[in-house]
Each structure stands twice: as structure tokens, then as C-alpha cells.
Amino acid sequence: MEVPVHSLVGNLRYAARQIRHSPGFAATVILTLALCIGVNTAIFTVVDALFFRPLPYPHADRLIMLVGSITHQGKSGLQMGQNGREWELAQKSTLIEPAVYGSTSGVNLFAAGHSRYVQQQRIGAGFFHVLGVAPLIGHEFTRQEEVQSGPAVTILSYGLWQRVFHGDPSIVGRTIDLKGAPYTVIGIMPRGFRTIDAPADLWTPLRPSTHGAGGGTNYDIVARLKPGVTRTAASAQLTAIMQPYFRSLLGKRAAQFQVEERALPLQAGLTHDLRSSVDLIWGAVILVLLIGCVNIAGILLARSGLRSRDIATRIALGASRRRVVSQLLSESALLAFCGGLLGLVLGDLALAGLLRLDPDEFAGWGAIQLDPHVMGIMLAVAIGTSIIFGLLPALEATRVDIRSALSQAGRSVARGRHWKREMLVLAEVALGVVLVVSAGLLIRSFARLIDMNPGFNPKHLITASLSLQDARYQTSQAGTRLFRGSLQRIREIPGVESAAAALTAPYQRALNLGVKTPDTQSDQITNFSYLTPGFFKTLRTPMLRGRAFTEADNANGTKVAIVNEDFVHRYLQNEPDPIGVPIQVAGATYQIVGIVANMPYGQGWGARYGPLAPLANVYVPVSQCDSAVFAMANVFLSPSFIVRTHGNISGLDMAMQHAIQSVDPRLPFSSFHTISQLRGEALHQQRYQAVLFAAFAGLALLLSALGVFGLVSESVAQRTREMGIRMALGASVRKLIVTAARPAIVLSLAGIAAGFVLAVFAVRLLTSMIWGIPALDPLTFGAVAVLLIVVAGLASILPALRLARLDPAQTLRHE
């Protein structure tokens, strides 16, 4: 082993000397690779944390999530949520230990004389047992505590226990003021425990049923496979148990669908919604790495041509071609190692920016940070890819005509390799086009969503949210009294023009309920919101027909509703005059008294229409909202106060907080936002994708431009004598510049054309991320074409301008 090790050390020493003698070349290769490895490191760190890093539970590979699988006409989809009936059926399985849980929501905690807004997760009995984590103190929920009439109990997170109760173990067994009622603390979870879904401060019993929230797909089921049971066996048994229920839901259409219950690995189930987006982003980053490696291969190929005389000399003196190739690959590996180390530094910075760009996206996944595992993999990728892409230039360098190389300094040899360099440049231009087109489409799509007509005047609007998941606000009458008293005080704040409250503000996700109209035979889905009089006036939403709500629309009056344009278009097409038409919402009958303009709301039942869409909406006065619906709505959503001001008001948030607590001292506002901030939150994922793809496209464009620039620079350097002779014979500088730049421009145009062909196929993968524009948007393709032609032209002409400084006499004398 001593000879190979000695040889390797010698190769590395020689490579270090060569790199030291060519600092410009080394810096270009190292920086190119560092940029590519940097973005790959950032994205791979996220991918590793989401998809590959084991979940922090004992024997996490035995944990599964139950999801529905629906196949129709060859197309399959997963239904992630489960309803109350599916939960009942899942408990009949003999192969799994299931537990049910719900999403995380904000609730009010009153302790030590202060109101706090904390995150609660509702879970079923056995949830912690299934995860394999027992409470640090106390016990988890039992079946007796899970029943509808069970006691009000809670389990605290370690962080909340320390923050609010100062780690006092005697809090277990005592009551605290939670959600407006006394809750008994029965347990404390261990330090560092990470629940499923978003981070939680405490847990309360879910108490699943087939009614209310259990009538919709509002539950998730996690389970642990029993010893010796496979996921395939569990899926088969669960499907057999649930098939009769699925067939009863589909009725006569059952034969058209194949419905199964699948046992997905828990990690796959939790990341299902993120997978397609993250996979596309990672694919784009890998494409950037490929472009960078092609660029490096082109640089190494050009350098091998310039070093042909040196290589020929070594071969003539007896060095074997294998020896020369190993030395050249050692040089590539050393450059890759340096580029990889710098790339890890840049990757750590890029990761910080990535997480800061959208901190909520990965909040439930614990600390996402660069670790030795990822660093080792990315360093290996850097070295491996550089060796692979350095192999062609290394082999090409040894295929040298020794006599020609020694007599002509390698010029003829370099020209012989020129077409291969051109093909590499064409390839990186084509690949860069795919990324630039993709980024252009996402940016255009995001811009269309930002410019969507809101249907109201967004200037000087402030929203404030609070939780009414509270024992004191279980009826709409209680909510009406709260809203009336607090809004009166808010309107008295200097600078406030008007104020109102509603279950859902524009751009937020609304409550989905079933609606029946004279035109429909069965329940259809609509957005539903209760609100106070003055809501549309505060927003300045146009009333297209009919009237707005007044204080006379109270619990003793005729139940009335206002619908939007989209509701009329969908469900009242056969009604010549929608005003006065009765509709049924959640079993209650309302009479339509007004039609308002559409306003955009967040993803819900209309997710297929986009992240924001003017979906069908029914609005009812809060005083006429059914109390059961009112209480259920406040479990899932936090109502908003909407305030229009005459301008910026200093201390408005504190004044509004004082106003609400003058009515209820134990009720804190959880957040304050402008309408623009709500829109930004609704479009955070689209902004995230557009920014990332724009960054990747910019890097790809830079690398492609450098490739073209280097190609022309190499050509100019090799043809200096020829150009000097032409100039001496009377050729103009302008003609020489055009002659030098034209091949690269033609090559770039060919790469752009090839890239557009690839982009036509590649953008099909982006259809789920594009809204408001066609996937083959001509404006985007046209703008990208113009941009790329300009960049390619500049990258071709700038190095050719060196010919303007050429002195033909001096060139000929030097030659």
C-alpha cells in the first residue's frame, strides 16, 4: 500500500503547485463548485430533516399514518384526513394500535394574573403511548377522560411548565384557567418532546365522534404496528374493514372507484403535502449542480488544451498516460475538496436564509441545521462529481500529438478540442433555459396572485385575531355581546373610522359547510362566515344587489344571509332574482337579502382553484348563527376584528387590547396584521417557490454566461495571431469582433432553442405550482428569450472587445 499512497501524495503535491501557478483558473473552478454545492447543501439539509432523519420516537419505523387512497380512471389521490366513522372502524383492526389527533390551534390561558395565547393540540386517549413517549410526571388521557361528558383535563409541555409555572411539580393535580374554564393538569411531557403537526404548548382531549367536527375529514389517525405485522398486512385488513362504508358513501358510483385504506409510514404521511414541492426544488438544485459541473468540465477541457505542450513533454520523457490522467484527476479532486469546503460554508449561510424566508413552513420539524452527516455527503458529492466531469478533459489531454504539441505549443490540439467545449457550453445554456423559464412562470404566477382584485379597499385596514374556543362563548348570543361591547370601544379610539368582526377575514381560510339551494338536490360545499353589521362597510366591499346587515337582523328576526357573486354563479343559476331565495346552511334556513362582490379566501375546499380564490361564500349575522355552528367554527378558526383607520395610528394594537380587555379581562388578542400581511401569509408558499427558483435561475444564468464568456475568451486567445494578420491586411476592428463573437452567439441561440424544447416538457411538472397563467405562457417564454439573447450577446461580445486593443505589429513580432 505504500506505493499507491506515495503516488497519491505526490500527485496532490504536484496538483497544488499547478493550482498555485494558476490562481485565476483555480478561483473560477472553486467558486463555481462552491456556489453549486452551497445551494445543494442547504436544500439537502432540509430534505434530510424532512424525509430521511428518523422521527424522535422509539422504533419510529413501526409508526404509520392511516390515509384513504382513491383511484378513478387511472388517476390516484390520497385523502389524508379521516372522519369519525373511519376512526370507529380503524379501532376494529387487530393488527395496529391506533390513536386519533387533531390540528394545533390557539387558546387562551389565564395564569398569574395574565392572559396568554398558547398553542393547544387535541388528542385522543393513547396518543402518547402509540408514539412511545410517556409523560415525565402524571399520566396521559384515558378512555374515561375521552368521552363526550368526560372531565376537563390537560397535559402541559415541558416548556410551558417551566415558562408559566416555573417547573412546580405540584401543578399536576391542580386546576388552571384554560379556555375560560377550570382544567385539571394531569401530566407534564418530557423536555424536548416533539408532537405531530405544529409545536404545541399543551394537550386536551379530542373526544372524537361521528357528529360535528367528526362528520368531516378533520381527524388524523396515527398507529403503531403490532409485533411481526407489516404495513401491507395492516393496509389489507383496514381496507377490508372499511370497504362497506366506502361503498355506501359512493352508492351507485362505487364500481367506478377503487378506494383503499393505506398504512403509510408516519414520516411519509406527515411530509406528503410538502413532498412534491420539495422534490421540484431539489430537482432544480441538482440541475444547478449539473450546470456547474458542465461548466467546470469546459474549463478543464480548455485548460488541458493550453497545457498540451507540458503534457506532451511529460509523455515524451516516459510518463504513462495513466500516470498523467491520475495527476489531472488529483488536481480535479483537490479543487473539488476546496470548493466543497467553501460550499459547506455558503450552504450554512444559504440554509439560514432559506429558513428565515419562511420560518413557519418547517416549524414542526425541530431544529433543521447542518450536521456532520450532511457535510460528509455533500463533500463526497463535490469530489465525486468533479472527478466524473474531470475525467473527459483528463483523458482528452493525453490524446495528444506529441510532435505537433511540442512544435506548435498545442495550438492545433486546442482547436481540435474546441467543438467538445462548444457542446458543453450548448448543454449548460440549454439546461439554464429550463430553470429560467421555470422561474419566470412561478414569478408571473405569484405576480398574478398578488394583483388579484380583492373586491374591497385594502388601504388602512388592520386585523386582530383572538380565540373564542372558550367555555364562556359557546353560544352566538355570548359572542354577539362580546363583539358589540368591544367594537363600541374600538370605534372610540382616535383615528379609527369604522370596525367590525367576522369569523374569517379576507385571504384567510374559511369554514366549509354544506348548503342547499332550490337549484341543488344535495348539499354543496360553500365558505361560511358569521359577521357583525358594518363588516362590508368597513372593508368597502361593493354591495351589488340588496342590502347589508343591520342591528335589526338579530336573534328574534327572520334569518337572513348575504352571498357573493360566485355563490350565485355556482348554485343559483336558475334563479332570475336571488334576492329573497331561501337557502339551507348546516340545517338552518336563511333568506338571501344581498349580493356582494367576490373576495379572495385561502386554501380550503377550493384548493384546486388556487391558493387564493373568490370562492362561493355565505355570510350570516353573528346574532343569527346557530350556536352549535358558532361553537364548532371557533374550534377550528380564530375570529378577526377588522378596523379601518384614517391613517397610521401609533399604539393602535395596545389601544385595541385595552378595549377588548375592558369587556373581558381574560381575553387577549393573539396577533395584529395589516391586510397586506394576511395576503403575504396566504401566499407564503408561492413566494417561497418563486424566490428560490429565481435564485437558482440567476445562478444558472450566471454559470451559462461564464461558459459562453470563457469559450469566446479561449477562442480569442488562440486566434490572436490570425486576428493580427487580418488587421494588418486591413480588416476593421468591428469586423474582427463580430467574427470572434458570432460563433458563440449562434451556439447560444442553438442552446436557447434546445432549452425551450426541454422546458416545454419540464414545465408539466410545475402545473400544480402555477396559477392564473397557462403553463406555456407566451409572455413568459418571450421575455425569457429576450433576456437570454441579451445575456448571451453580452457574454459573447465582451471578451471579443479585447481585439480592439490588439496591436497587429506587436502581435506579429511576438509570434
Side-chain angles (χ1 to χ4, degrees), residues 110 210 333 358 362 371 434 452 459 648 671 677 693 733 761 795:
F110 189 77
T210 57
D358 191 359
F362 311 109
D371 58 30
V434 175
M452 178 186 295
K459 292 184 178 179
N648 295 329
S671 62
Q677 288 172 330
F693 269 83
V733 172
F761 294 97

Side-chain angles (χ1 to χ4, degrees), residues 33 36-37 289-290 292-294 296-297 300 332 336 378-391:
L33 188 59
C36 297
I37 291 297
L289 177 62
L290 183 60
C293 289
V294 169
I296 291 172
L300 293 175
S332 297
M378 295 314 301
L379 202 56
V381 167
I383 296 173
T385 53
S386 292
I387 289 177
I388 292 171
F389 282 88
L391 187 60

Side-chain angles (χ1 to χ4, degrees), residues 25 28-29 32-33 36-37 40 285-303 332 381-382 384-393 417-432 699-700 702-708 710-711 714 747 751 758:
F25 155 76
T28 301
V29 172
T32 297
L33 188 59
C36 297
I37 291 297
N40 270 272
V285 171
I286 291 174
L287 198 58
V288 169
L289 177 62
L290 183 60
I291 293 171
C293 289
V294 169
N295 196 307
I296 291 172
I299 295 172
L300 293 175
L301 192 63
R303 179 170 167 79
S332 297
V381 167
T385 53
S386 292
I387 289 177
I388 292 171
F389 282 88
L391 187 60
L392 173 64
R417 296 192 183 96
H418 203 65
W419 70 271
K420 295 177 182 177
R421 176 83 191 277
E422 290 175 345
M423 291 302 99
L424 290 174
V425 170
L426 187 149
E428 66 177 315
V429 169
L431 294 174
L699 183 54
L702 173 64
L703 293 174
S704 300
L706 288 176
V708 175
L711 182 69
E714 178 191 352
L747 185 70
L758 293 176

Side-chain angles (χ1 to χ4, degrees), residues 213-225:
T217 54
N218 295 312
Y219 301 152
D220 287 291
I221 301 174
V222 62
R224 184 174 288 276
L225 297 171

Side-chain angles (χ1 to χ4, degrees), residues 398-566:
T398 61
R399 298 186 185 126
V400 60
D401 184 332
I402 297 176
R403 179 177 299 176
S404 176
L406 293 176
S407 63
Q408 299 184 38
R411 281 192 297 270
S412 62
V413 179
R415 289 187 190 129
R417 296 192 183 96
H418 203 65
W419 70 271
K420 295 177 182 177
R421 176 83 191 277
E422 290 175 345
M423 291 302 99
L424 290 174
V425 170
L426 187 149
E428 66 177 315
V429 169
L431 294 174
V433 169
V434 175
L435 279 178
V436 177
V437 168
S438 300
L441 289 171
L442 293 177
I443 292 170
R444 277 265 293 147
S445 177
F446 179 65
R448 287 294 295 269
L449 291 168
I450 286 288
D451 292 338
M452 178 186 295
N453 179 13
F456 62 92
N457 186 340
K459 292 184 178 179
H460 306 307
L461 282 179
I462 300 295
T463 69
S465 297
L466 51 72
S467 172
L468 287 187
Q469 191 181 160
D470 194 296
R472 297 166 300 143
Y473 298 102
Q474 293 298 293
T475 65
S476 55
Q477 289 73 27
T480 300
R481 289 192 296 271
L482 170 71
F483 291 137
R484 184 180 291 122
S486 54
L487 285 171
Q488 180 180 345
R489 286 164 174 77
I490 290 173
R491 293 183 186 117
E492 294 171 355
I493 297 173
V496 170
E497 179 182 321
S498 60
L503 175 62
T504 309
Y507 300 120
Q508 294 180 325
R509 180 172 178 173
L511 183 70
N512 311 142
L513 290 180
V515 61
K516 284 184 181 179
T517 72
D519 291 0
T520 59
Q521 300 299 317
S522 59
D523 274 353
Q524 304 297 315
I525 299 177
T526 187
N527 281 352
F528 172 89
S529 180
Y530 63 70
L531 45 84
T532 64
F535 175 78
F536 298 116
K537 176 186 175 183
T538 299
L539 286 175
R540 296 182 185 171
T541 302
M543 184 65 63
L544 304 180
R545 295 190 62 183
R547 67 174 179 85
F549 297 139
T550 67
E551 294 294 343
D553 296 316
N554 53 40
N556 299 321
T558 302
K559 288 194 171 185
V560 295
I562 293 174
V563 299
N564 68 342
E565 291 177 277
D566 193 70

Side-chain angles (χ1 to χ4, degrees), residues 94-162:
T94 59
L95 303 181
I96 62 173
E97 294 181 70
V100 66
Y101 70 97
S103 60
T104 304
S105 59
V107 295
N108 303 316
L109 170 66
F110 189 77
H114 296 286
S115 296
R116 293 173 174 82
Y117 184 77
V118 297
Q119 293 299 316
Q120 162 214 244
Q121 184 179 35
R122 298 183 304 141
I123 60 173
F127 177 76
F128 298 128
H129 172 73
V130 167
L131 293 183
V133 181
L136 177 67
I137 305 174
H139 63 87
E140 67 173 308
F141 303 132
T142 64
R143 295 292 179 188
Q144 291 74 28
E145 293 164 335
E146 190 180 41
V147 298
Q148 291 297 322
S149 58
V153 291
T154 185
I155 297 172
L156 306 182
S157 70
Y158 188 91
L160 183 68
W161 180 47
Q162 293 291 328

Side-chain angles (χ1 to χ4, degrees), residues 35-277:
L35 290 172
C36 297
I37 291 297
V39 294
N40 270 272
T41 298
I43 298 300
F44 181 66
T45 301
V46 174
V47 170
D48 180 64
L50 265 58
F51 303 118
F52 303 132
R53 187 188 301 168
L55 294 173
Y57 310 119
H59 307 292
D61 58 313
R62 305 291 296 168
L63 290 173
I64 59 172
M65 176 180 280
L66 272 57
V67 301
S69 173
I70 305 173
T71 303
H72 178 58
Q73 296 180 347
K75 295 182 179 180
S76 297
L78 294 181
Q79 174 66 56
M80 304 306 293
Q82 308 279 299
N83 61 32
R85 180 57 181 155
E86 288 168 313
W87 163 242
E88 287 183 345
L89 294 171
Q91 295 177 86
K92 295 182 179 181
S93 172
T94 59
L95 303 181
I96 62 173
E97 294 181 70
V100 66
Y101 70 97
S103 60
T104 304
S105 59
V107 295
N108 303 316
L109 170 66
F110 189 77
H114 296 286
S115 296
R116 293 173 174 82
Y117 184 77
V118 297
Q119 293 299 316
Q120 162 214 244
Q121 184 179 35
R122 298 183 304 141
I123 60 173
F127 177 76
F128 298 128
H129 172 73
V130 167
L131 293 183
V133 181
L136 177 67
I137 305 174
H139 63 87
E140 67 173 308
F141 303 132
T142 64
R143 295 292 179 188
Q144 291 74 28
E145 293 164 335
E146 190 180 41
V147 298
Q148 291 297 322
S149 58
V153 291
T154 185
I155 297 172
L156 306 182
S157 70
Y158 188 91
L160 183 68
W161 180 47
Q162 293 291 328
R163 243 181 7 255
V164 177
F165 303 104
H166 310 293
D168 181 7
S170 68
I171 192 67
V172 176
R174 287 161 44 191
T175 60
I176 60 174
D177 189 328
L178 179 66
K179 298 193 287 186
Y183 271 69
T184 302
V185 177
I186 64 169
I188 309 291
M189 292 306 293
R191 182 200 296 267
F193 171 73
R194 194 179 93 200
T195 188
I196 296 174
D197 199 45
D201 295 308
L202 52 82
W203 294 265
T204 57
L206 176 61
R207 292 175 179 148
S209 77
T210 57
H211 306 290
T217 54
N218 295 312
Y219 301 152
D220 287 291
I221 301 174
V222 62
R224 184 174 288 276
L225 297 171
K226 291 186 176 180
V229 176
T230 64
R231 285 191 294 107
T232 303
S235 297
Q237 187 189 61
L238 287 164
T239 298
I241 292 172
M242 295 190 181
Q243 275 293 352
Y245 171 68
F246 293 150
R247 284 197 293 268
S248 69
L249 287 179
L250 295 170
K252 295 179 180 179
R253 300 180 300 159
Q256 303 174 23
F257 294 84
Q258 180 183 353
V259 185
E260 303 171 295
E261 191 74 6
R262 288 190 185 176
L264 284 186
L266 179 57
Q267 192 158 27
L270 295 176
T271 57
H272 176 266
D273 293 338
L274 292 171
R275 181 170 288 277
S276 59
S277 176

Side-chain angles (χ1 to χ4, degrees), residues 433-449 686-687 689-691 693-694 697 756 758-784:
V433 169
V434 175
L435 279 178
V436 177
V437 168
S438 300
L441 289 171
L442 293 177
I443 292 170
R444 277 265 293 147
S445 177
F446 179 65
R448 287 294 295 269
L449 291 168
Q686 286 66 39
R687 181 183 67 250
Q689 293 164 349
V691 170
F693 269 83
F756 278 138
L758 293 176
V760 167
F761 294 97
V763 296
R764 295 178 182 177
L765 301 174
L766 297 174
T767 52
S768 63
M769 302 163 67
I770 298 173
W771 305 99
I773 60 171
L776 300 179
D777 179 43
L779 181 59
T780 301
F781 275 75
V784 168

